[in-house]
Structures are given as C-alpha cells and as structure tokens.
Amino acid sequence: MSRKYLTIKNAKKVFKSKGISGKPTNTVAVDNISLDIFKGETLALVGESGSGKTTLGKGILNIETLTSGSIYVEGKEKSILEMSKKEQQEVYSKMQIIFQDPYSSLNPRLSALDIVMEPLFKENKEEAKKKALDILEFVGISNEDALKLSNTFSGGQRQRIGIARAVVTRPDFILCDEPTSALDASTQAQVINLLKDLQKEFNLTYLFISHNLGVVEYIADRIAVMYSEKIVGILDRKDATTEKIGILMAGGKLND
C-alpha cells in the first residue's frame, strides 16, 4: 500500500436541535471514528441509511463541520481543522465531490461546457475552455454536445458531466457520494469503469460511499463498514464477501 493521504482521528459529529418539548436534543451522527485513506486507493464506505457515512464524508471536506476530531493530510503535523483559512483553502482545493443526484447537482440553465469551466474561474478563459473540453471528451461528452444545456442530457450523461467538473481541477482526492445510486444497472457499470479509468489516468484517491455491495466489491481496494455511527470493520477486497459485509452492516461480528 502507498503512503497515507488522509488520517482521520476521533472524528465526531453531533447535531443539536430542540425536541417537541423545547428541550435541547443531541443526535450523534459520527461517533469517534479513526480511519486512514491511502494515496491512489479507493476506500469504500458502506452502511445502512442513517449510519453516518455521508456525514463523515462531508465532515472530511468540511461541508459539515465536525464537532471534534482531527484530519491530517499527506503527513502534515497540523490537522486541517486547526489550519488558517488560507491553509485550509489550499488543502481543500485539492479535494472534490461527485454528488449522488445528477439531476439536482447541475444547473439546468448552463451548458455542459460552462458547468465544467466553473471551477476554473481563476484561469485564462481559453485555457479553461480547452481543459474543460478535453476532460468532457475523456468522459464521453463530445465537443458538439458540450454546448448543450445540462437538462437535455440523460442521467448517465449528467453524471459524466458532474464527474468531469470534479476532475477538471486535477484534484488529489474525490468524495464519491453514492454516485451510481440514481442510475440503472448498465449505466452504473459504465460510470464505475469511467471512475476507474480516471483514477488510473490521474492517480486519484477515492472515498466511495455506497450501499450497493455489488458496485463496492468491484471498485474498492478496501471496504470500511459503518453501523450505528461507528466503523465496525475494514476489509480488503480479496477478503470481502457480500455475506461478511452484510453481517457487519447489521451490527454482527465476524468469526475469527
């Protein structure tokens, strides 16, 4: 295994709200999780709905601010959460997300080209356009189709556009938040193969959140299983079976 890209230590997320009585209520969504993600790997994170997997993923990217814990990137001594805003921006500029729903995550009033160019707003417009067209072509969207509005594409094509948007900045790390769950089986396979091709081409590191065990067993190098807001097991792909993963997802324990 290559060097560590991310090290997560004692991550915790508590949502505070008021119950019907008006009394404060604390809901633990992520409970004291420690985890390593290695450079160039796909770590799958699986669990039943409500187990906390998406909250953990968003906590890593600071979309949801963790209540406590530390996140270290590429061996740095300072946790991302302790860095200055400028330092954080530099770190997070190397991280992207692919969203679950390709219909709601793209602006229907923009063309595919405009959507993929958006993250390159600081670059020269012609250079940004070339980069966007190149990555769109890589994911299967032709230069001609790149000028069409996003709402004219199928779900699979929209997800390809979302993937292109995530990859165009050449990140190191991508959070894939159930990126195939809204797609049919044949389109899922195409998108998964595309993600594998992109990972090989650009040496990407993935945290792949899913509940589809068939997809996970195909794409993942390792599989972390969540149950009741905790990591209850991590399996290498060669040791992972649907049965073993299912036992852990249900809160059971594997026999030694």
Side-chain angles (χ1 to χ4, degrees):
M1 187 65 71
S2 59
R3 70 182 188 276
K4 293 177 184 177
Y5 178 72
L6 280 178
T7 296
I8 299 135
K9 291 187 176 180
N10 307 120
K12 189 167 187 175
K13 176 62 180 180
V14 180
F15 290 102
K16 297 183 178 182
S17 60
K18 290 186 177 181
I20 298 175
S21 64
K23 293 183 179 180
T25 301
N26 292 338
T27 302
V28 178
V30 172
D31 192 6
N32 199 37
I33 285 178
S34 296
L35 189 65
D36 291 322
I37 304 175
F38 293 90
K39 182 74 174 176
E41 81 162 336
T42 297
L43 175 67
L45 187 61
V46 302
E48 298 291 350
S49 295
S51 61
K53 55 189 186 296
T54 293
T55 301
L56 176 61
K58 290 182 176 180
I60 292 171
L61 265 61
N62 207 29
I63 297 171
E64 292 278 4
T65 303
L66 293 174
T67 304
S68 59
S70 303
I71 301 174
Y72 301 93
V73 61
E74 294 195 296
K76 288 183 170 58
E77 294 184 1
K78 187 189 295 186
S79 167
I80 300 174
L81 305 180
E82 297 173 343
M83 292 179 178
S84 67
K85 287 187 177 181
K86 184 177 180 180
E87 290 173 319
Q88 286 184 343
Q89 287 174 351
E90 183 178 347
V91 170
Y92 288 127
S93 70
K94 294 293 186 179
M95 300 182 180
Q96 291 291 337
I97 182 171
I98 299 169
F99 294 98
Q100 176 178 358
D101 186 356
Y103 292 93
S104 63
S105 61
L106 302 182
N107 187 333
R109 298 181 180 180
L110 295 181
S111 69
L113 177 60
D114 288 335
I115 287 169
V116 178
M117 283 180 65
E118 274 188 317
L120 304 174
F121 66 93
K122 291 184 178 180
E123 298 190 18
N124 173 277
K125 188 173 182 179
E126 287 305 312
E127 291 179 1
K129 182 177 180 180
K130 184 180 185 307
K131 286 182 179 180
L133 288 172
D134 285 347
I135 196 65
L136 279 166
E137 188 172 12
F138 191 105
V139 304
I141 305 296
S142 69
N143 287 1
E144 182 180 353
D145 286 343
L147 301 178
K148 296 178 181 179
L149 295 179
S150 66
N151 63 3
T152 64
F153 291 95
S154 68
Q157 289 172 319
R158 293 184 195 200
Q159 195 60 297
R160 288 172 182 270
I161 295 167
I163 291 169
R165 178 178 59 186
V167 176
V168 73
T169 59
R170 299 294 189 269
D172 295 325
F173 173 85
I174 298 180
L175 169 63
C176 305
D177 187 11
E178 304 214 36
T180 63
S181 64
L183 308 176
D184 62 51
S186 62
T187 308
Q188 283 184 4
Q190 294 170 15
V191 168
I192 291 301
N193 285 326
L194 172 60
L195 289 171
K196 288 172 74 73
D197 289 344
L198 287 164
Q199 184 174 48
K200 183 177 180 180
E201 180 73 16
F202 301 116
N203 193 29
L204 297 169
T205 302
Y206 292 146
L207 177 60
F208 190 92
I209 296 173
S210 183
H211 62 273
N212 187 325
L213 300 188
V215 168
V216 162
E217 289 175 354
Y218 179 67
I219 195 173
D221 297 299
R222 294 186 302 140
I223 300 166
V225 184
M226 288 192 71
Y227 174 77
S228 190
E229 300 84 43
K230 299 177 183 289
I231 298 287
V232 293
I234 299 177
L235 303 171
D236 287 330
R237 179 168 56 184
K238 61 182 175 59
D239 299 322
T241 63
T242 300
E243 181 182 8
K244 286 181 179 180
I245 298 169
I247 289 170
L248 291 172
M249 285 176 61
K253 294 184 178 181
L254 300 179
N255 296 325
D256 295 333

